[in-house]
Amino acid sequence: MANTKYVFVTGGVSSSLGKGIIAASLAKLLQARGYRVTIQKLDPYINVDPGTLNPYEHGECYVTDDGAETDLDLGHYERFLNTATSQANNVTTGRIYQSVIEKERRGEFLGKTVQVVPHITNEIKERIQILGKSGDYDIVITEIGGTVGDIESLPYIESVRQLKWELGDNNALVIHLTLIPYLSAAGELKTKPTQHSVKTLMESGIKADILVCRTEHELSEDLRKKLALFCNVKQEAVIQSIDASTIYDVPNLMLEEGLDTVVLNRLVLRDDDEPNLEKWNDFLLRHKNPKHEVTIGLIGKYVELQDSYKSILEAFIHAGAENEVRVNIESIHSEYIDDKTIKNKIAHLDGVLVAPGFGERGIEGKIKAVQYAREHKIPFFGICLGMQMAVIEYSRNVLGLKDACSIEVDEKAVSPVISLMEEQKSITDMGGTMRLGAWDCELVEGSKVFEAYGKTQISERHRHRYEYNNVYKDQLEKAGLKTTGTNPKTGLVEIVEVEGHPWFVGVQYHPEYKSTVANPHPLFVAFTKAAMIFSKNKVSAKVTQS
Ligand code: GLN
């Protein structure tokens, strides 16, 4: 195809309507019809990337192969499309300004006054078109973060207006996602907020081409007509997005509503083949018809906010479907785990996952959880900080290094089993300076991880500053904490396993970022399976006892 087509997704009425899921679902349908699609997220905040943001502020920070710290919506894009995203797929206002200011310092604007229009808007337009110009995609879907009318979104909205005009009607369109609230006192769905939101968009010179309406109740034919008339869109372009029990239902719901056909017709693209969703629907069938059930404890310190561990929760959905098992996740706050509470919190679990994290808070609870899982032979999975806690626990309780610790928690630790790499020691800037992105890892044959991946060479994504301290490697290995994955270039330990335990794996990287519907992550699949076996053994042990 000669030129790339652009779809912009804006939001109105309220935040958190799920623009990312709508964008990902549309992309899925277009991909299932054979189009090459990618999605981009533009975020109107001033942080250069979300890497320095607290999970309570922004949910999980998602990491790409090329080491970009990004918005969690990119995780949805990868999970739905099974294609990798990159730095170009997430742009913030901070990054836009940073690059314009750097250009100004280099004198690239030749003495001109540097202004929001045209310099910031040109930079935004350039960033939007980078993916399109690569020649890798037929359609680029760009999601504009925030809600129409926000002061901070204005330069983005203006850039979309300009691009729509420059590219022409057949090459660009705007989908506006809004909310149709239900007033229970009146027993009615209300369209007025949507009308106002469309009007606000119009004041910025943009006519929405398609309305996607989030609603708790079915939209009647009359209501759709009314929305079309007052919001200036064709009736078939009023798309209902009703609450779904799982986000993975949304592509099918959008297909029923004809979102993909409306988009294709408007962009003058063929819409003859039906989308091939065979694999997707097979996953849904397995996800919705589990044959078993397991309960896994997610031990973390940001557990109050679902979004903090988004990719982990989704990876369990993929692994659950693969094993035909319902995975119940019990979120357990590590700060509340101590000698008194541990049994109550952990003993009934079929698997223990100690989550990634930063800083000192809740560390001791995590170490106790590792110890309980190790001693009671409950399947254990440690991710990043969780792996580091496993190393500390083993050093303290098996090796006898009572003061074993991480430099992150105690800078002067006497036994720093988790320490800082030389090149990290001189770093003062916190943003974008961790070990980030894809790194190779070589697995030991015969290990649990080798069994799961079925190969020795893997590549996984990282996001951490601290590392397993190789000074302690021999002692730990001898004591039974085996290194089963190593970085071939640096010799850094990436995976540890406890010998003789049914399934005890700690990984320095983040496997959850690479789990997708089409490719559930092998370690999540293996851990879930181990939890299933553990749970079945518990049941049969009970039957034998009685
Ligand atoms: N805080 C640890 C480090 O920086 C672990 C990071 C993580 O869990 N992502 O190394």
Side-chain angles (χ1 to χ4, degrees):
M1 198 164 62
N3 57 340
T4 306
K5 311 269 183 174
Y6 292 85
V7 174
F8 299 101
V9 183
T10 57
V13 180
S14 161
S15 58
S16 305
L17 292 181
K19 283 195 293 275
I21 301 297
I22 293 297
S25 300
L26 171 63
K28 184 75 224 167
L29 294 177
L30 298 173
Q31 184 195 51
R33 285 177 182 272
Y35 289 103
R36 299 170 307 156
V37 195
T38 191
I39 321 184
Q40 180 188 45
K41 171 100 191 264
L42 304 182
D43 275 313
Y45 54 74
I46 296 172
N47 304 64
V48 171
D49 60 44
T52 52
L53 285 171
N54 187 316
Y56 290 127
E57 284 280 316
H58 194 257
E60 168 190 275
C61 173
Y62 186 77
V63 178
T64 58
D65 275 335
D66 65 352
E69 295 178 279
T70 74
D71 185 79
L72 58 77
D73 271 349
L74 268 73
H76 291 309
Y77 306 162
E78 290 205 11
R79 289 187 280 273
F80 274 51
L81 298 180
N82 196 37
T83 54
T85 54
S86 68
Q87 184 74 67
N89 293 75
N90 190 197
V91 180
T92 68
T93 295
R95 193 171 291 282
I96 298 281
Y97 271 80
Q98 188 185 45
S99 123
V100 170
I101 291 168
E102 278 166 8
K103 284 181 188 165
E104 184 273 335
R105 291 290 82 184
R106 288 197 298 268
E108 285 183 27
F109 297 116
L110 305 175
K112 288 269 179 217
T113 309
V114 182
Q115 293 177 299
V116 173
V117 181
H119 300 98
I120 295 296
T121 47
N122 282 351
E123 183 72 28
I124 295 173
K125 278 160 45 182
E126 226 170 84
R127 299 277 179 154
I128 292 174
Q129 290 178 99
I130 283 178
L131 290 163
K133 286 183 178 157
S134 70
D136 294 337
Y137 305 104
D138 304 318
I139 304 164
V140 176
I141 302 178
T142 299
E143 176 194 345
I144 318 286
T147 308
V148 164
D150 294 349
I151 293 175
E152 54 188 23
S153 324
L154 284 176
Y156 292 97
I157 298 292
E158 168 60 11
S159 306
V160 171
R161 186 196 67 75
Q162 291 183 18
L163 262 183
K164 226 185 151 207
W165 186 84
E166 284 165 4
L167 294 164
D169 266 356
N170 293 347
N171 298 315
L173 66 79
V174 170
I175 296 177
H176 191 54
L177 177 65
T178 77
L179 175 71
I180 310 289
Y182 179 76
L183 290 191
S184 47
E188 266 183 71
L189 286 164
K190 290 294 180 188
T191 65
K192 195 74 84 188
T194 297
Q195 294 181 40
H196 280 294
S197 159
V198 167
K199 197 170 134 194
T200 308
L201 201 54
M202 205 94 92
E203 279 164 9
S204 303
I206 296 178
K207 179 189 161 307
D209 299 285
I210 298 171
L211 280 186
V212 175
C213 307
R214 283 298 308 274
T215 173
E216 289 171 17
H217 299 273
E218 295 278 340
L219 303 184
S220 67
E221 218 38 46
D222 278 352
L223 201 117
R224 287 175 192 246
K225 262 191 206 145
K226 184 175 171 187
L227 278 165
L229 180 65
F230 292 121
C231 297
N232 219 2
V233 297
K234 288 187 176 160
Q235 202 178 320
E236 66 266 26
V238 177
I239 305 287
Q240 159 184 297
S241 170
I242 202 153
D243 287 358
S245 61
T246 155
I247 55 168
Y248 297 105
D249 272 339
V250 181
N252 281 312
L253 292 173
M254 291 301 103
L255 180 66
E256 276 167 34
E257 285 285 309
L259 175 62
D260 55 333
T261 13
V262 178
V263 167
L264 291 171
N265 290 338
R266 177 66 178 59
L267 295 175
V268 208
L269 291 170
R270 53 167 184 81
D271 69 342
D272 35 5
D273 310 326
E274 274 297 297
N276 179 356
L277 289 171
E278 211 176 301
K279 270 192 150 178
W280 184 270
N281 288 334
D282 180 52
F283 153 79
L284 272 177
L285 198 71
R286 286 161 160 269
H287 170 54
K288 290 183 178 179
N289 297 287
K291 299 201 171 85
H292 317 276
E293 196 168 349
V294 292
T295 303
I296 287 179
L298 172 64
I299 323 283
K301 65 172 180 180
Y302 314 110
V303 290
E304 305 88 336
L305 190 76
Q306 276 266 323
D307 276 358
S308 308
Y309 302 111
K310 193 82 203 156
S311 294
I312 292 179
L313 299 179
E314 299 302 323
F316 275 121
I317 291 178
H318 311 151
E322 187 70 12
N323 284 299
E324 298 183 291
V325 56
R326 180 197 308 283
V327 183
N328 301 316
I329 299 292
E330 232 174 81
S331 297
I332 301 169
H333 206 303
S334 57
E335 265 189 300
Y336 306 135
I337 300 179
D338 55 32
D339 288 334
K340 271 195 226 120
T341 58
I342 184 116
K343 193 160 177 237
N344 207 357
K345 291 195 184 284
I346 312 261
H348 61 287
L349 299 171
D350 304 315
V352 171
L353 187 146
V354 176
F358 293 84
E360 199 180 338
R361 189 165 65 92
I363 287 285
E364 292 302 322
K366 287 187 175 175
I367 297 174
K368 284 208 162 39
V370 179
Q371 182 179 6
Y372 196 94
R374 182 178 57 75
E375 291 179 348
H376 293 81
K377 299 215 178 317
I378 304 175
F380 169 83
F381 196 9
I383 298 184
C384 207
L385 184 72
M387 174 266 204
Q388 297 175 354
M389 294 306 107
V391 174
I392 294 175
E393 191 279 321
Y394 212 84
S395 307
R396 287 187 188 172
N397 300 326
V398 181
L399 208 54
L401 292 174
K402 290 290 167 225
D403 44 16
C405 208
S406 164
I407 292 285
E408 181 176 13
V409 178
D410 177 6
E411 254 182 80
K412 299 194 175 72
V414 179
S415 308
V417 290
I418 303 296
S419 63
L420 261 190
M421 276 191 301
E422 232 13 78
E423 54 264 45
Q424 282 284 341
K425 290 185 181 158
S426 54
I427 282 173
T428 49
D429 274 3
M430 288 296 121
T433 55
M434 284 188 258
R435 175 146 84 104
L436 289 166
W439 288 71
D440 289 338
C441 176
E442 216 166 81
L443 308 183
V444 172
E445 283 188 38
S447 59
K448 289 277 184 318
V449 284
F450 173 76
E451 206 178 291
Y453 284 94
K455 56 184 178 186
T456 53
Q457 309 296 323
I458 59 160
S459 163
E460 291 282 2
R461 299 181 194 171
H462 290 246
R463 181 173 185 252
H464 56 100
R465 214 175 283 286
Y466 298 87
E467 305 280 352
Y468 179 111
N469 186 348
N470 275 339
V471 168
Y472 295 91
K473 189 170 164 203
D474 282 350
Q475 300 172 58
L476 281 164
E477 290 252 18
K478 275 194 200 111
L481 188 70
K482 298 292 178 195
T483 295
T484 56
T486 313
N487 181 290
K489 280 208 190 95
T490 59
L492 286 169
V493 171
E494 310 284 35
I495 309 173
V496 293
E497 292 184 23
V498 167
E499 217 174 22
H501 187 287
W503 210 91
F504 187 109
V505 174
V507 294
Q508 185 57 84
Y509 51 83
H510 290 263
E512 70 275 21
Y513 294 146
K514 283 182 73 166
S515 187
T516 69
V517 166
N519 274 323
H521 195 283
L523 290 186
F524 278 89
V525 173
F527 175 54
T528 304
K529 194 169 168 196
M532 216 160 79
I533 296 169
F534 182 79
S535 137
K536 282 186 190 163
N537 287 347
K538 262 197 304 199
V539 175
S540 50
K542 260 192 204 149
V543 174
T544 342
Q545 272 167 21
S546 56

